[in-house]
Amino acid sequence: MKPVLFIFCLLCINCYSIQKSYNYGNPYHPSPAFPEGEEQFEEGAPVWIVDTLGHYVFSLPSKLVLWNWRADNHQISEETKNYLKDYIRENNLRDVKVRFNQYSPLSEWKRLSKNQNINPVIRYVFGSISLLAYTFLPGRLFAGTIGGDHYNSFTNTINLYSDLPPVAIHEGGHAKDFAQREYRTLYAIAYAIPFAGSLYHEARATDDAINYFAEKEDRHQLDSSFKVLVPAYATYVGGAVGDVVANPVTAVTVVPGHIYGRRKKREMDFHLGTRKEKRK
């Protein structure tokens, strides 16, 4: 079973090619800008004890899995914020909310009631489940052990806790993917289907992030994407049959993910170098 899961993972990730031209987003449904007085981007006020515990204790599983100290570190740099802000502006995501290391349950429950692009029955049933977890097991503290960086389609909100531009753009990729769907309710239900649904959505977001950095010719973040996003995708294969922490399959799948990601990085270096030589 495990080899089959990982082969499926590789097939999804292998859809990326530097020959692709990047397609900037255009939402299918109206995407109104935030009204005056309401900010699209918000950041949680520093809380030393919470952020320290989150960074040095609860985020250790994700740091070990991704082998990156900046995973779920609760200290998001201006560089990472600006990457995501530029991405959202360039892809016309005017109605998506972004919370940088912020815990705001009341505001999220209000956003749940206002999201008219998801059927109200589905929105309140599945959205309430996601917000109960957000409320009582907040990523502001537990990210990396329980949950972490994510896009919530029911509230149309990106929650970011890691200072990693590829992760930020990956979550933006989810928002872009949903924004381009005519039937967002069905797409949200599909994402909730164990294994097949989530892996498809995650592959699309990863592919978009890699293509985005290739379009920008940002070699540093492109390299980082292969080192971080490909292993992260491998964790979804393990997580498809259990929780990230409780499930040892994650540890098994992420190792080949790191190997594969670094191999793809070397291939990318070769292809980009060849393309650069042809331009001269």
Side-chain angles (χ1 to χ4, degrees):
M1 182 64 176
K2 294 175 187 176
V4 173
L5 295 179
F6 192 65
I7 288 172
F8 183 81
C9 160
L10 297 188
L11 288 175
C12 288
I13 291 296
N14 205 36
C15 62
Y16 170 73
S17 168
I18 62 170
Q19 304 303 321
K20 291 182 180 180
S21 59
Y22 185 76
N23 295 315
Y24 288 96
N26 187 24
Y28 188 91
H29 296 286
S31 178
F34 279 70
E36 186 176 352
E38 184 177 355
E39 299 293 331
Q40 182 174 16
F41 302 92
E42 294 187 17
E43 183 172 9
V47 180
W48 183 84
I49 185 64
V50 173
D51 294 335
T52 299
L53 285 173
H55 180 26
Y56 292 100
V57 179
F58 292 109
S59 69
L60 289 180
S62 65
K63 285 177 167 57
L64 289 170
V65 166
L66 299 181
W67 204 244
N68 196 304
W69 188 247
R70 294 165 67 186
D72 296 309
N73 66 344
H74 302 277
Q75 299 173 26
I76 304 172
S77 66
E78 290 300 318
E79 178 190 33
T80 298
K81 295 175 193 173
N82 288 332
Y83 267 112
L84 185 54
K85 289 177 181 179
D86 289 344
Y87 176 91
I88 284 176
R89 184 186 68 255
E90 292 166 355
N91 284 284
N92 301 305
L93 299 172
R94 294 180 295 272
D95 61 348
V96 65
K97 184 77 172 183
V98 178
R99 301 190 187 279
F100 296 114
N101 196 40
Q102 185 183 54
Y103 174 65
S104 187
L106 181 59
S107 178
E108 282 298 281
W109 283 99
K110 290 179 179 178
R111 287 187 60 78
L112 179 69
S113 66
K114 295 178 181 179
N115 187 3
Q116 301 302 313
N117 290 318
I118 303 287
N119 176 277
V121 175
I122 300 300
R123 187 170 80 237
Y124 282 113
V125 172
F126 290 96
S128 295
I129 293 173
S130 69
L131 285 186
L132 284 172
Y134 174 86
T135 302
F136 295 106
L137 296 169
R140 178 66 192 268
L141 177 62
F142 296 110
T145 294
I146 301 173
D149 307 294
H150 69 282
Y151 168 71
N152 188 327
S153 61
F154 301 107
T155 63
N156 194 22
T157 301
I158 295 172
N159 291 279
L160 197 67
Y161 308 102
S162 298
D163 188 22
L164 293 167
V167 171
I169 300 303
H170 172 90
E171 299 306 335
H174 280 303
K176 173 185 173 182
D177 188 21
F178 271 88
Q180 294 179 311
R181 304 290 168 173
E182 179 179 5
Y183 303 107
R184 294 189 194 179
T185 298
L186 293 177
Y187 203 58
I189 293 173
Y191 187 64
I193 297 175
F195 184 58
S198 60
L199 287 183
Y200 174 78
H201 291 66
E202 296 299 337
R204 286 188 60 85
T206 295
D207 185 72
D208 189 83
I210 292 172
N211 273 281
Y212 180 77
F213 290 123
E215 168 72 13
K216 299 294 184 181
E217 297 186 346
D218 190 332
R219 289 290 298 274
H220 177 69
Q221 297 304 337
L222 191 57
D223 289 351
S224 181
S225 295
F226 283 110
K227 292 179 180 178
V228 172
L229 297 183
V230 176
Y233 186 81
T235 67
Y236 294 113
V237 176
V241 288
D243 183 76
V244 169
V245 176
N247 176 21
V249 177
T250 298
V252 175
T253 58
V254 77
V255 173
H258 278 289
I259 296 171
Y260 182 76
R262 281 157 175 75
R263 183 170 71 83
K264 292 298 292 182
K265 173 190 172 299
R266 289 194 296 272
E267 291 179 5
M268 185 63 57
D269 289 340
F270 173 77
H271 288 301
L272 289 176
T274 301
R275 188 168 67 179
K276 185 176 181 180
E277 287 297 323
K278 289 180 179 179
R279 288 178 177 176
K280 291 182 179 179

